[in-house]
Amino acid sequence: MDRIKLGERYFSPYLSAAEIDSTIDAIAARINADYADSKSLLFLSVMNGAFMFTADLVRKITVPSTVSFIKVSSYEGLSSRGEISMKLPLSCDIEGCDVIILDEIVETGLTVDYLFDYLEPRNPASIAVSTLLYKKGMHKGRHEIKYPGIVMQENLFVVGYGLDYDEKGRTLKDIYILSED
Ligand code: IMP
Ligand code: MG
């Protein structure tokens, strides 16, 4: 993996496709064990960013499940606006379902809090969160991130594998990190 340029910024290799795959193997193993008896497992993928993570994770799930999508947005450029808006609401009934929210990265956790507030009145049996990357040091949300893939201790900006920098870099198969020079 070489350094890449997106717009005016340079990004260095951070996680290869193979490392992402083994991280998702570990998440799937935990979910397969914890939800082995679930009768109504529903993955709720947060668009746009989680589309690759969702596709790769659900194919490793052995428990019968369904998948649905929701779109919210809070990010512009390199930082969160702190204000979340619903771009595409839920299109299915989640009453009695074991919902697992899938996000590609959790930073402040405000998106996750917003989704819990939106989902809870719809009476799911349970709600949990899985994210490929978790900027734990930045988290200030009210809800636990139960199934994180990789915990990033610092606030580093990443792109690739669904993650974008102003819509750039989303389709890359590996993950890159913003480099200063
Ligand atoms: P939160 O609400 O602060 O947890 O932010 C969650 C959303 O911000 C993620 O789903 C991403 O869409 C976006 N985001 C957070 N950190 C990054 C990053 O390093 N690169 C690209 N997008 C990010
Ligand atoms: Mg996202």
Side-chain angles (χ1 to χ4, degrees), residues 60-133:
K60 297 178 193 284
I61 297 298
T62 50
V63 184
S65 62
T66 57
V67 61
S68 193
F69 297 85
I70 195 164
K71 186 170 181 176
V72 291
S73 92
S74 67
Y75 238 73
E76 237 169 47
L78 296 172
S79 62
S80 172
R81 288 196 311 268
E83 212 175 273
I84 297 149
S85 57
M86 178 64 67
K87 301 286 182 192
L88 189 69
L90 199 63
S91 61
C92 62
D93 183 9
I94 60 165
E95 186 159 355
C97 291
D98 291 315
V99 177
I100 301 183
I101 296 168
L102 300 182
D103 208 343
E104 76 292 357
I105 190 162
V106 171
E107 187 180 286
T108 61
L110 296 179
T111 304
V112 164
D113 282 356
Y114 176 90
L115 289 171
F116 267 79
D117 292 344
Y118 177 82
L119 299 172
E120 274 169 346
R122 291 165 169 80
N123 299 317
S126 64
I127 309 176
V129 182
S130 179
T131 182
L132 180 65
L133 301 175

Side-chain angles (χ1 to χ4, degrees), residues 7-19:
E8 289 308 304
R9 292 182 185 270
Y10 288 95
F11 293 83
S12 305
Y14 181 60
L15 279 176
S16 68
E19 290 167 317

Side-chain angles (χ1 to χ4, degrees), residues 4 26 28-29 55 80 84 89 97 106 127 132 134 138 147 152-153 166:
I4 57 164
S80 172
I84 297 149
C97 291
V106 171
I127 309 176
L132 180 65
Y134 181 24
M138 298 284 288
Y147 303 101
M152 302 165 65
Q153 288 304 343
D166 274 344

